[in-house]
Amino acid sequence: MVILARPQLGENIGMVARAMLNCGLQELRLVSPRDGWPNEMATATASGAVAVLERARLYESLAEATADLRCVYATSTRPRDLAKRVVEPREAAMRARAAIAQGEGVGLLFGPEKSGLSNEDLALADAVVSVPLNPAFSSLNLAQAVLILGYEWFLSGREAVPGHLVRNGAPRASKAEMDNFCGRLEAALDKAGFLYPPEKRPNMVSNLRALFGRMDLTDPEVKTLHGIVSALSAIGEKTRGS
Amino acid sequence: MVILARPQLGENIGMVARAMLNCGLQELRLVSPRDGWPNEMATATASGAVAVLERARLYESLAEATADLRCVYATSTRPRDLAKRVVEPREAAMRARAAIAQGEGVGLLFGPEKSGLSNEDLALADAVVSVPLNPAFSSLNLAQAVLILGYEWFLSGREAVPGHLVRNGAPRASKAEMDNFCGRLEAALDKAGFLYPPEKRPNMVSNLRALFGRMDLTDPEVKTLHGIVSALSAIGEKTRGS
């Protein structure tokens, strides 16, 4: 869950709600929001994520907001006067998942927009989360900080998905179709005198097959290529015939 | 570098510049920004990242903006009508680093706020980057999308930093100091009759040493603990004396 300590602008609370919902986080706790609660500006900027705001719980102090939690991660620029464990968002997300799996309540704590978390706030946290960014320009707004922590949280909760090809239902062409197309292309190129001289032909053919093979073609795409070969061949026929 | 195709709001261009600089990205290309260029609203929202805007290059078409690049990653919700390779931001960042290491120019392409990239735009891209988020609520604003891709880009370019303790210059207490403190505490507890009965003493002492060892104490913190033991012992002395 996300805990906002003394947030100032309603707009930002609404945008935090959006970023939370983007990342599958739905529990929000608010500690003494400056402009009261509920807040019209928050509702306005939350748009699709109003439900997160409607379910938000209000607290008067951070101690109350964290009383039932076993583990609190605080986002902050590096703590100046406290010896605190500092982790990055990825590690925090993995640790939070592990804690939750053990039945422990976990909170991600964010401070007020201007001042950030006080040392008194930080003393309540188990660790500080520091987002690795350009050291010369590392300030994020509230919703962006929530988004990056939430993004790592979302990633940590699912199986890794390797890169893949979206084919929109069109299946990858079978090896037979690929072989058929390549054979047909080679025949056309033989006819055109392109695969010449003969001693280089095997290598040229292999290179072409590697090239088309790499394209991960779908059935309709192979059909298109057949059409292209036909069309180009027809130009040649016409030229030759003229 | 980041390429914005037909961006609509100047505010968003400025916030993109901020997100870029957060992530160490400084080259921005703009293709036909709707409200012209330069744009006052962009300058207003870029605040600390105005230099990114000042160095931005303007193009009339996406083809011109990508002509010198070897590799273009397009962010989009999944492409509907095109067979395109889809990767996640982490994989895209690693591939982009590898391409750049080989001297290839790489662009991260983002579409207009409302409509996103057209199929014509996507045809110019080598792959589509899809940010893994809550499938029921996955829309990000432009600067947020740039931030997440940029964050992964930044991470991919540096050594992993494991979690660590920030001690603000105070060194971790030496084993001798820890042993000295624990010995002193045990002596006080012996005096108080706490480490009793004798057959349980070794185990109680081990548990206490494990507890204080886990705290990763700094020198000043050990001093503080010494002070606490002294202070508490003094109460006992007083009580006994009274």
Side-chain angles (χ1 to χ4, degrees):
Chain A
M1 83 185 52
V2 170
I3 305 161
L4 301 184
R6 307 179 300 285
Q8 302 176 291
L9 291 170
E11 293 92 302
N12 289 335
I13 303 174
M15 286 167 71
V16 163
R18 280 183 63 87
M20 285 175 60
L21 194 55
N22 279 148
C23 303
L25 291 164
Q26 309 210 28
E27 276 188 85
L28 176 62
R29 295 183 176 185
L30 300 171
V31 180
S32 307
R34 186 191 65 186
D35 299 336
W37 195 254
N39 181 308
E40 278 182 24
M41 288 308 297
T43 309
T45 55
S47 51
V50 167
V52 173
L53 297 183
E54 285 170 351
R55 298 205 315 216
R57 291 174 63 183
L58 195 61
Y59 296 85
E60 289 195 2
S61 73
L62 184 57
E64 288 172 70
T66 57
D68 61 332
L69 303 179
R70 301 275 164 173
C71 185
V72 173
Y73 289 97
T75 50
S76 175
T77 49
R78 73 199 302 281
R80 273 165 295 262
D81 314 315
L82 291 176
K84 274 282 169 184
R85 188 160 293 283
V86 177
V87 296
E88 298 196 343
R90 195 161 301 170
E91 185 179 343
M94 288 186 294
R95 286 172 182 264
R97 290 269 175 201
I100 288 172
Q102 295 191 325
E104 298 180 358
V106 175
L108 299 175
L109 171 62
F110 299 83
E113 291 93 327
K114 266 219 171 139
S115 56
L117 292 165
S118 69
N119 275 352
E120 195 188 342
D121 299 328
L122 287 170
L124 281 168
D126 297 279
V128 170
V129 185
S130 169
V131 181
L133 289 172
N134 178 2
F137 192 74
S138 62
S139 79
L140 292 178
N141 69 38
L142 189 53
Q144 285 175 319
V146 170
L147 180 69
I148 286 190
L149 266 73
Y151 165 73
E152 289 286 7
W153 163 260
F154 187 83
L155 285 185
S156 71
R158 50 153 223 157
E159 301 292 320
V161 178
H164 59 285
L165 193 69
V166 171
R167 289 192 194 75
N168 307 294
R172 183 196 291 252
S174 71
K175 295 303 171 198
E177 278 159 351
M178 288 304 295
D179 184 59
N180 178 39
F181 167 72
C182 289
R184 188 258 174 108
L185 175 66
E186 286 147 26
L189 294 176
D190 274 330
K191 197 172 161 192
F194 181 85
L195 297 172
Y196 188 86
E199 65 272 22
K200 291 205 174 162
R201 188 180 186 281
N203 227 357
M204 295 169 85
V205 164
S206 298
N207 285 340
L208 279 177
R209 289 194 172 226
L211 187 158
F212 284 102
R214 231 174 31 232
M215 293 169 77
D216 256 349
L217 297 168
T218 62
D219 279 345
E221 287 171 336
V222 173
K223 281 214 182 72
T224 303
L225 289 179
H226 272 293
I228 288 173
V229 173
S230 300
L232 294 180
S233 304
I235 299 175
E237 302 284 326
K238 278 175 198 162
T239 311
R240 203 168 297 167
S242 68
Chain B
M1 79 185 56
V2 170
I3 305 162
L4 302 184
R6 306 179 300 285
Q8 301 177 290
L9 292 170
E11 294 92 304
N12 288 335
I13 302 174
M15 286 168 71
V16 164
R18 280 184 62 87
M20 285 175 60
L21 194 55
N22 279 148
C23 304
L25 291 164
Q26 310 210 29
E27 277 188 84
L28 176 62
R29 295 184 175 185
L30 300 171
V31 180
S32 306
R34 186 190 66 185
D35 298 335
W37 194 255
N39 181 309
E40 277 181 24
M41 289 307 297
T43 309
T45 55
S47 52
V50 167
V52 173
L53 297 182
E54 285 169 351
R55 297 204 318 214
R57 292 174 63 185
L58 195 62
Y59 296 85
E60 289 195 1
S61 73
L62 183 57
E64 288 172 70
T66 58
D68 61 331
L69 302 179
R70 300 276 165 174
C71 185
V72 174
Y73 289 96
T75 50
S76 175
T77 49
R78 72 200 305 279
R80 273 166 295 262
D81 314 314
L82 291 174
K84 275 281 170 185
R85 187 161 293 283
V86 177
V87 296
E88 298 195 343
R90 195 161 301 170
E91 184 178 343
M94 288 186 293
R95 286 173 182 264
R97 290 269 175 202
I100 288 171
Q102 294 192 324
E104 299 180 357
V106 175
L108 298 176
L109 171 61
F110 299 83
E113 291 91 327
K114 266 221 171 137
S115 56
L117 292 165
S118 69
N119 275 352
E120 195 188 344
D121 298 329
L122 287 171
L124 281 168
D126 296 280
V128 170
V129 186
S130 169
V131 181
L133 289 172
N134 178 2
F137 193 74
S138 62
S139 79
L140 292 177
N141 70 38
L142 190 53
Q144 285 175 320
V146 169
L147 180 68
I148 286 190
L149 266 73
Y151 165 73
E152 289 285 7
W153 163 260
F154 188 84
L155 284 185
S156 71
R158 50 153 224 156
E159 302 292 319
V161 177
H164 60 286
L165 192 69
V166 171
R167 289 193 194 74
N168 307 296
R172 183 196 292 252
S174 70
K175 296 303 172 199
E177 280 159 349
M178 288 304 295
D179 185 58
N180 178 38
F181 167 72
C182 289
R184 187 258 173 110
L185 176 65
E186 286 146 25
L189 292 176
D190 274 331
K191 198 171 161 192
F194 181 85
L195 296 173
Y196 188 86
E199 63 274 20
K200 291 203 173 164
R201 187 182 187 280
N203 227 357
M204 295 170 85
V205 164
S206 298
N207 285 339
L208 278 177
R209 290 196 171 225
L211 188 159
F212 284 102
R214 230 171 35 231
M215 293 170 79
D216 255 352
L217 297 166
T218 62
D219 279 346
E221 287 171 338
V222 173
K223 280 212 184 74
T224 303
L225 289 178
H226 273 293
I228 288 173
V229 173
S230 300
L232 294 179
S233 303
I235 298 174
E237 301 286 325
K238 279 177 198 163
T239 311
R240 204 167 296 168
S242 70

